[in-house]
Amino acid sequence: MELAVETRALGKRYGRSWALRDCALEVPAGRIAALVGPNGAGKTTLLHLAVGLLRPDAGEVRVFGRDPRDGPSVLADIGFVAQDTPVYRDFTAAELITMGGKLNRRRWDAALARDRLAALGIPPDKPAGKLSGGQRAQVALALALAKRPRLLLLDEPIASLDPLARREFMQALMGAVAESETTVLLSSHLLADLERSCDYLIVLQASRVQLTGAVDELVDAHRTLVGPRAGS
Ligand code: ATP
């Protein structure tokens, strides 16, 4: 089984406090994996370690068997959408797609991004700042997918969206993944939004991995762990 992400005894601390501790997990390639946990559990820290933005203080993280900090060829395989979709608000989707092409020359699929946004009815010539939050999230997703990543990391992509936009985002994501071989790891503080769309689950709590495995097998265990309200 090929692993998209693998961590061993991974730890990160800020000052004297550990944001992530003794983290051992595996994300099999080809899955849509949910990284679930309450605020402060360490989700962002884990994603930042996986994309090489942070250096581990203990253990190691591998993306397709390689250290993400090894260099551009590893990073070229990873798409990353940070929390709060930092799309440059002054620019239109069309401009952002052109800019992305200059940064990611060889792998960039501008037509894919344009087609995705056209299918969603997102105007290409409107500044991103004037789009709705749901549309901005879709622009960020289309840009990340245009890089044709083997691994797509999404940090709380639906947290600030209304229920309809959440559903639309998850549908767009599932459709995109079905057409490619991209592995997805996305974080959320609620499992309920992801239960139907993700097939692999990692639960983080208090800086530690509490559960990991196939969603079908773990949803009940997660409810027991966090209580029925937190999972719904
Ligand atoms: P949220 O959903 O609120 O973003 P999270 O699960 O993503 O939470 P992290 O952002 O990884 O959690 O934070 C884990 C812990 O590390 C928290 O206690 C947080 O306060 C702390 N932390 C995160 N970044 C820093 C930093 N730059 N400096 C100090 N402490 C930090």
Side-chain angles (χ1 to χ4, degrees):
M1 177 182 65
E2 189 182 20
L3 295 178
V5 182
E6 184 179 14
T7 73
R8 283 189 224 104
L10 182 65
K12 179 70 195 172
R13 61 167 190 249
Y14 300 107
R16 290 167 67 185
S17 124
W18 288 87
L20 195 68
R21 195 162 209 170
D22 201 21
C23 171
L25 60 84
E26 295 177 345
V27 179
R31 299 289 192 121
I32 305 185
L35 176 62
V36 174
N39 290 343
K43 303 181 297 294
T44 299
T45 300
L46 176 59
L47 294 176
H48 284 185
L49 286 161
V51 75
L53 285 170
L54 290 173
R55 188 201 311 266
D57 290 310
E60 56 186 20
V61 55
R62 292 283 178 274
V63 173
F64 293 106
R66 298 165 71 194
D67 185 334
R69 298 173 60 252
D70 267 0
S73 70
V74 194
L75 294 181
D77 281 342
I78 308 174
F80 177 55
V81 178
Q83 201 163 358
D84 297 325
T85 41
V87 163
Y88 301 98
R89 289 170 182 249
D90 280 351
F91 296 94
T92 67
E95 288 169 332
L96 291 166
I97 292 168
T98 304
M99 284 156 59
K102 288 178 183 159
L103 289 170
N104 300 276
R105 280 179 203 171
R106 271 180 309 159
R107 297 169 73 127
W108 193 249
D109 191 339
L112 178 78
R114 283 191 201 104
D115 291 350
R116 292 190 60 75
L117 297 178
L120 292 163
I122 294 176
D125 297 323
K126 203 168 176 178
K130 293 197 171 144
L131 299 174
S132 69
Q135 289 176 322
R136 262 202 309 281
Q138 297 282 7
V139 171
L141 176 62
L143 291 167
L145 287 166
K147 193 179 163 187
R148 287 186 288 139
R150 291 177 76 196
L151 171 67
L152 178 58
L153 304 171
L154 304 162
D155 195 1
E156 297 263 12
I158 56 174
S160 59
L161 304 184
D162 62 46
L164 176 63
R166 284 177 185 214
R167 273 198 302 281
E168 286 174 350
F169 185 91
M170 291 309 296
Q171 270 164 12
L173 178 64
M174 285 165 73
V177 171
E179 291 162 13
S180 70
E181 289 180 359
T182 305
T183 305
V184 176
L185 176 59
L186 83 164
S187 70
S188 172
H189 55 277
L190 289 178
L191 175 60
D193 291 320
L194 308 177
E195 248 174 73
R196 274 183 227 102
S197 29
C198 294
D199 53 14
Y200 200 79
L201 177 64
I202 297 156
V203 178
L204 274 185
Q205 214 172 46
S207 314
R208 291 181 186 267
V209 177
Q210 303 287 345
L211 292 171
T212 165
V215 164
D216 302 348
E217 293 159 20
L218 290 184
V219 165
D220 289 342
H222 175 263
R223 291 222 168 85
T224 309
L225 186 71
V226 301
R229 289 186 59 81
S232 57

